[in-house]
Amino acid sequence: MTAPITERLPDAADAREAGRRKIDWARQHMPIMAAIEDDFVADQPLDGQRVGMAMHVEAKTAVLAEVLAAGGAEVAITGCNPLSTHDDVSAALDAVDDVTSYARRGVDDDEYYGAIEAVIDHEPTITVDDGMDLIAAIHEDYPDLIDGIVGGCEETTTGVHRLRAMDADGALEYPVFAVNDTPMKRLFDNVHGTGESSLASIAMTTNLSWAGKTVVVAGYGHCGKGVAKKAAGQNARVLVTEVEPRRALEAHMEGYEVVPMAEAAAEGDVFVTTTGNRDVIVREHFEAMQDGAVLANAGHFDVEIDLDALEEMASEVNEARDGVMAYELPDGRRLNVLAEGRLVNLATPVALGHPVEVMDQSFGVQAVSVRELVANGSEYAPGVHDVPDDLDREVAEIKLAAEGVDYDALTDAQADYMDSWQHGT
């Protein structure tokens, strides 16, 4: 059975100290979570609950786990990506009262799923997922626990897609909030968070400039929009590839060049996948790429770039820089893959994830969603549910107040006008 990280680190005390500094820094810039924590400490809305989490275990996520524990919950947490855990943060979190952390960086598949099983051994009454691996494991291997689960929350696009497919098949047996789909998540986390953190991680890992580069963004959903916008803002030429005609048209109307990947492959200096789907960049694209091309994934799982095909094509593979694997082809071209094709903003050696302020908003939505499930979970049938709009607004209001931003409100007459069908021209 997987032990908590503290029992697996040779220097746990030093790690805890370093991790606590990271968490405390994040806390200074997370006013939403601070306000929610004050309410949770006073009201104890999660008293008696056991929260199982599978997320990217770094400083901002640690704040969420601590806030849930402050609200009365017992929290067990592990990673949702083998390369995104910060061991020092995980160790610091494991030292918090009512929190147990099993997350460790660089684990193999058996260790990864063993840690998920360790979280499940706590018999969670609430699940908080990023990619739905925890939910899938419960349904596949521990269905006897489902009757005791009030509900869950899903953080990311890929996880919501998987959950909706599961729901459509009638296989999802408890209610789950699609936290990813709220305005406070999509408008900020997906666009600004993914855009800024992915490009920052690529730049720090490679030490290369964006200016003058041709950047190929695969997918023009919210994450792709953010990557394209931020790359263009740093003086890159941006090509967009898409499979959905309306998104392709939207990218075109925003001024980007929209082309098939087969055409973009020969022109790109940097490729960033943001689709959440598999086989986005494959053998035929590798064959057309220029020497020195950089490939990174900002989607979710490591299936967007076909690394098996690339390895078969390569005559030599070596680590060109920390976090950069260079695949040398028989004709001498080198294609450089970052973070083993995993989430580039979280899995490179220098990755820090989304900016703190962005995750303050997303995790604020997570916290109030967990509170809602505990308070009113019986009102939600098994399946995927939108987060109630008033909860999303609550988080926005906390943020505006913290920023000192005042804004207008509808008058009674305006509210009546908007809610009525009886006003004519």
Side-chain angles (χ1 to χ4, degrees):
M1 179 178 172
T2 301
I5 188 170
T6 301
E7 299 176 25
R8 291 183 282 150
L9 289 180
D11 55 348
D14 289 344
R16 282 197 298 269
E17 183 179 349
R20 176 48 54 187
R21 286 199 303 271
K22 291 181 179 179
I23 297 168
D24 288 347
W25 172 262
R27 278 183 167 276
Q28 293 178 49
H29 304 279
M30 299 180 77
I32 296 171
M33 295 304 289
I36 292 173
E37 184 172 38
D38 287 344
D39 289 343
F40 275 22
V41 168
D43 299 337
Q44 293 292 287
L46 311 184
D47 184 40
Q49 300 298 319
R50 298 181 299 278
V51 179
M53 302 176 68
M55 306 190 81
H56 303 291
V57 181
E58 44 79 55
K60 288 90 69 180
T61 311
V63 175
L64 172 61
E66 290 183 339
V67 169
L68 297 178
E74 174 195 325
V75 178
I77 187 169
T78 189
C80 65
N81 182 303
L83 294 178
S84 65
T85 292
H86 291 203
D87 284 351
D88 52 358
V89 170
S90 183
L93 198 50
D94 194 47
V96 174
D97 289 345
D98 296 318
V99 179
T100 307
S101 181
Y102 299 95
R104 190 171 186 184
R105 183 182 177 90
V107 295
D108 61 25
D109 283 352
D110 289 342
E111 292 169 317
Y112 175 80
Y113 288 106
I116 287 178
E117 290 183 355
V119 169
I120 295 172
D121 283 343
H122 288 254
E123 299 188 359
T125 57
I126 300 281
T127 60
V128 180
D129 249 311
D130 190 317
M132 77 152 275
D133 280 351
L134 181 59
I135 291 175
I138 289 171
H139 279 74
E140 291 171 9
D141 301 322
Y142 301 89
D144 54 308
L145 297 180
I146 290 174
D147 285 346
I149 296 176
V150 178
C153 300
E154 172 54 53
E155 171 75 7
T156 197
T157 308
T158 299
V160 171
H161 283 326
R162 295 176 73 196
L163 282 168
R164 292 197 188 282
M166 192 177 180
D167 192 7
D169 288 344
L172 181 56
E173 297 188 30
Y174 61 82
V176 181
F177 280 138
V179 171
N180 177 78
D181 292 357
T182 68
M184 284 296 287
K185 171 71 163 62
R186 282 190 160 174
L187 295 177
F188 304 101
D189 184 308
N190 293 6
V191 176
H192 295 285
T194 301
E196 292 181 17
S197 63
S198 297
L199 296 191
S201 186
I202 293 169
M204 289 188 294
T205 302
T206 63
N207 196 30
L208 299 175
S209 171
W210 293 105
K213 294 284 194 304
T214 295
V215 177
V216 178
V217 180
Y220 200 68
H222 286 84
C223 293
K225 290 174 186 176
V227 173
K229 179 177 182 178
K230 304 299 181 179
Q234 296 187 63
N235 301 318
R237 172 194 177 211
V238 177
L239 307 183
V240 171
T241 72
E242 247 301 343
V243 297
E244 210 289 323
R246 290 160 296 186
R247 287 183 174 172
L249 180 58
E250 183 181 10
H252 171 70
M253 296 295 283
E254 289 291 331
Y256 301 113
E257 300 175 57
V258 179
V259 296
M261 183 60 79
E263 182 179 328
E267 298 191 44
D269 298 304
V270 181
F271 296 80
V272 185
T273 59
T274 67
T275 71
N277 208 338
R278 63 174 303 124
D279 301 332
V280 178
I281 300 178
V282 296
R283 180 183 295 268
E284 66 178 281
H285 306 135
F286 302 139
E287 291 171 346
M289 287 180 182
Q290 304 176 57
D291 180 33
V294 172
L295 292 83
N297 171 37
H300 191 79
F301 297 112
D302 58 340
V303 295
E304 305 209 18
I305 302 168
D306 188 353
L307 295 182
D308 290 338
L310 184 55
E311 188 161 4
E312 288 175 5
M313 294 171 64
S315 57
E316 184 178 341
V317 182
N318 60 79
E319 190 171 29
R321 287 174 61 87
D322 288 348
V324 181
M325 295 303 295
Y327 293 75
E328 185 167 339
L329 305 182
D331 61 6
R333 286 180 298 127
R334 289 156 299 178
L335 306 182
N336 301 294
V337 177
L338 274 56
E340 301 177 17
R342 296 189 180 275
L343 270 175
V344 71
N345 59 333
L346 282 156
T348 67
V350 296
L352 296 174
H354 289 355
V356 178
E357 299 93 337
V358 166
M359 294 314 301
D360 187 31
Q361 297 177 180
S362 295
F363 288 158
V365 178
Q366 286 279 15
V368 297
S369 295
V370 170
R371 183 191 67 197
E372 170 68 10
L373 285 170
V374 174
N376 301 304
S378 61
E379 298 179 11
Y380 298 93
V384 179
H385 296 266
D386 291 335
V387 174
D389 194 58
D390 62 315
L391 300 185
D392 204 51
R393 288 177 177 271
E394 176 186 344
V395 174
E397 289 166 357
I398 295 171
K399 177 67 172 179
L400 288 169
E403 296 286 327
V405 177
D406 202 3
Y407 59 101
D408 285 327
L410 293 175
T411 65
D412 291 343
Q414 288 173 324
D416 177 70
Y417 184 84
M418 295 298 292
D419 291 339
S420 175
W421 57 269
Q422 294 174 319
H423 299 286
T425 58

